[in-house]
Amino acid sequence: MILPLQYAYFTLGLVYLMFWIVFFLRRPDLRREMLISSAFAGILALALEPLFLKDYWTPELINGWLVGFEDFLYGFSIGGVAAVVYEEVFKRRFIRKRYHTHHWRFLFGIYLLSFAMLFIGRQVWGLNTMYATLGSLAVAFLFIVFLRHDLIRDAVWSGLLFTAITLLAYIPVLVIFPHSISSFWHFNNLSGAVFGGLPLEEFLWAFMFGLVAGPFYEAWNG
């Protein structure tokens, strides 16, 4: 059954939310991390989506607005999933060292560097928003591992596992909404490479997002 395209983005958010709910129910010890990471990612999704609409993709929304509930749902869901997928798969638990005192200075530093890279990539170098975002995530990753070398394994596995989840999440969406790919993404602005029916950039984004979201909470909290 083919449904109207305006439900495709919402459906994608719901699929990710299913992974989120499973992790949340299975790991009570990770719920605080999931909620905080999800809140951060949901707010960022609302704030940054207008940039992606200009040159990366233009998904249809149920309410017809440019930015809507779907953006927050998507950001909220992927934020929590990417943050704890490594701990869930490898059955890891927290050990609080507490000699790392980053907290708000860490948060300020990572946001400052990341948004500076995003601005330079888009406004100075004229990059597509997605490529500028990949650069900003790379800077964020380097900032984290510079402070916490012990989180490299967490970061890399989070990136790989979240990429796998992204592939799984898109399967039902592509089955129900087969025309969403050609309708949403601006292929003329991208590399043209396709994997599993999706632009390669979508998987690069998933890996880089997991690379940062996975160790983010641990680095922030010490």
Side-chain angles (χ1 to χ4, degrees), residues 48-83:
L48 296 179
E49 179 65 357
L51 299 179
F52 287 90
L53 294 175
K54 294 180 179 180
D55 53 18
Y56 182 66
W57 77 334
T58 311
E60 294 186 30
L61 303 184
I62 296 175
N63 58 20
W65 298 350
L66 289 177
V67 178
F69 173 73
E70 293 90 338
D71 296 304
F72 181 81
L73 174 64
Y74 172 79
F76 181 91
S77 300
I78 68 171
V81 169

Side-chain angles (χ1 to χ4, degrees), residues 48-194:
L48 296 179
E49 179 65 357
L51 299 179
F52 287 90
L53 294 175
K54 294 180 179 180
D55 53 18
Y56 182 66
W57 77 334
T58 311
E60 294 186 30
L61 303 184
I62 296 175
N63 58 20
W65 298 350
L66 289 177
V67 178
F69 173 73
E70 293 90 338
D71 296 304
F72 181 81
L73 174 64
Y74 172 79
F76 181 91
S77 300
I78 68 171
V81 169
V84 303
V85 63
Y86 170 74
E87 289 96 324
E88 167 59 18
V89 171
F90 289 96
K91 308 305 177 187
R92 298 283 181 167
R93 294 186 180 274
F94 284 115
I95 299 175
R96 294 197 177 274
K97 298 182 178 181
R98 282 304 177 195
Y99 57 78
H100 295 290
T101 56
H102 306 315
H103 298 288
W104 297 110
R105 287 180 295 173
F106 166 79
L107 220 82
F108 177 76
I110 196 170
Y111 275 112
L112 180 63
L113 290 173
S114 299
F115 282 112
M117 184 63 204
L118 179 61
F119 176 82
I120 292 172
R122 289 190 80 253
Q123 303 302 126
V124 179
W125 296 339
L127 296 178
N128 180 281
T129 300
M130 175 53 76
Y131 299 136
T133 300
L134 294 177
S136 70
L137 289 171
V139 169
F141 166 70
L142 293 175
F143 181 78
I144 290 175
V145 298
F146 175 77
L147 295 173
R148 294 288 304 275
H149 305 290
D150 57 310
L151 293 176
I152 293 178
R153 175 184 170 88
D154 182 331
V156 173
W157 272 111
S158 295
L160 293 173
L161 292 169
F162 184 68
T163 303
I165 287 177
T166 293
L167 179 60
L168 294 175
Y170 268 106
I171 291 175
V173 176
L174 297 182
V175 171
I176 301 173
F177 307 95
H179 302 299
S180 58
I181 300 297
S182 58
S183 300
F184 289 177
W185 277 269
H186 303 170
F187 278 93
N188 57 314
N189 295 330
L190 305 177
S191 66
V194 175

Side-chain angles (χ1 to χ4, degrees), residues 1-23:
M1 181 175 61
I2 300 177
L3 298 176
L5 276 180
Q6 60 262 38
Y7 292 96
Y9 190 19
F10 178 69
T11 301
L12 178 63
L14 288 181
V15 176
Y16 277 115
L17 186 63
M18 291 174 62
F19 284 98
W20 192 98
I21 292 173
V22 170
F23 291 171

